Amino acid sequence: MAGGLLLVLSAPSGCGKTTILKQVMRDLPGLVFSVSHTTRQPRPGEINGEHYHFVETAVFAAIRNRQPTGFLEWAEVHGNMYGTSVEEVERHQGAGHDVVLDIDVQGMAQVRQRAEPVTIFIAPPSLAELERRLRGRGTESESTIALRLNNARKELACAGAYDYLIVNDRLDRAVEALRSIIIAERCRQRRGPDGQQGGWCG
Ligand code: ADP
Ligand code: 5GP
């Protein structure tokens, strides 16, 4: 895949990833959010095609079976299926945009096998604060909160696999950290597993 950067962002649910991303995307031109497909039901206020492509299980399976051109990665998260469309990512990268994938740890590992993403993990200051934020958002039932908190423990254990770690304690600092990472990655000359530098130096 050529073109713009592929930015993979992961965080335990309720950590503040959407809030941070919204502010960074408002400030930095050239970033495009990749809209995932999911079998999850929309939450109040979520718009089909903007937050997710909300699809039936059969539609999701049909795209998943169309490999390698269907999904760049897919995973079951909190009991629902989620996937990133190859076509969508290629279209945005081809237009020269940097593409942001908001995906989980399993998805990040799959993307790494097929592309060269910049991977960023956003962590909460503590599990207690994560629980407060999840409850404060008011979008989950008690059972869903318990499931998401349980998954958060497992996800936090994978934070070390990412290129960058941002702790979302103060929102303004977390926004500044993400902005800075993207700006630095846009200036980076060496990329790829061989660490080779292009260009010439006489
Ligand atoms: P995610 O996208 O990671 O699931 P959200 O962006 O929806 O999380 O944030 C979850 C809740 O936490 C929201 O109510 C949001 O306003 C709040 N929040 C986000 N960042 C902070 C922060 N740094 N301090 C306090 N509350 C925050
Ligand atoms: P939510 O249901 O709260 O929107 O998202 C739940 C989790 O699914 C989050 O961790 C989010 O990053 C992840 N997720 C969203 N879209 C995708 C996707 O396309 N692929 C993968 N692997 N995870 C996704």
Side-chain angles (χ1 to χ4, degrees), residues 1-8 32-37 53 69-73 83-103 111 114-117:
M1 278 184 202
L5 295 172
L6 198 52
L7 298 156
V8 169
V32 178
F33 181 73
S34 161
V35 180
S36 294
H37 287 67
H53 300 290
T69 55
F71 287 132
L72 173 60
E73 62 74 36
T84 301
S85 145
V86 169
E87 186 275 326
E88 175 148 348
V89 170
E90 285 187 341
R91 183 161 36 86
H92 292 315
Q93 281 195 305
H97 294 125
D98 296 333
V99 185
V100 179
L101 306 187
D102 169 350
I103 63 177
V111 175
R114 293 182 61 177
E116 288 165 16

Side-chain angles (χ1 to χ4, degrees), residues 11-20 102 129 133-134 136-137 168-171:
S13 179
C15 186
K17 183 177 47 184
T18 310
T19 310
I20 295 169
D102 169 350
E129 174 61 18
R133 288 184 194 170
L134 259 181
R137 192 169 67 182
N168 181 20
D169 190 348
R170 269 187 44 190
L171 183 60

Side-chain angles (χ1 to χ4, degrees), residues 59-78:
V59 173
F60 191 96
I63 302 173
R64 189 187 56 199
N65 292 337
R66 212 170 58 225
Q67 289 301 36
T69 55
F71 287 132
L72 173 60
E73 62 74 36
W74 62 271
E76 183 176 341
V77 191
H78 314 314

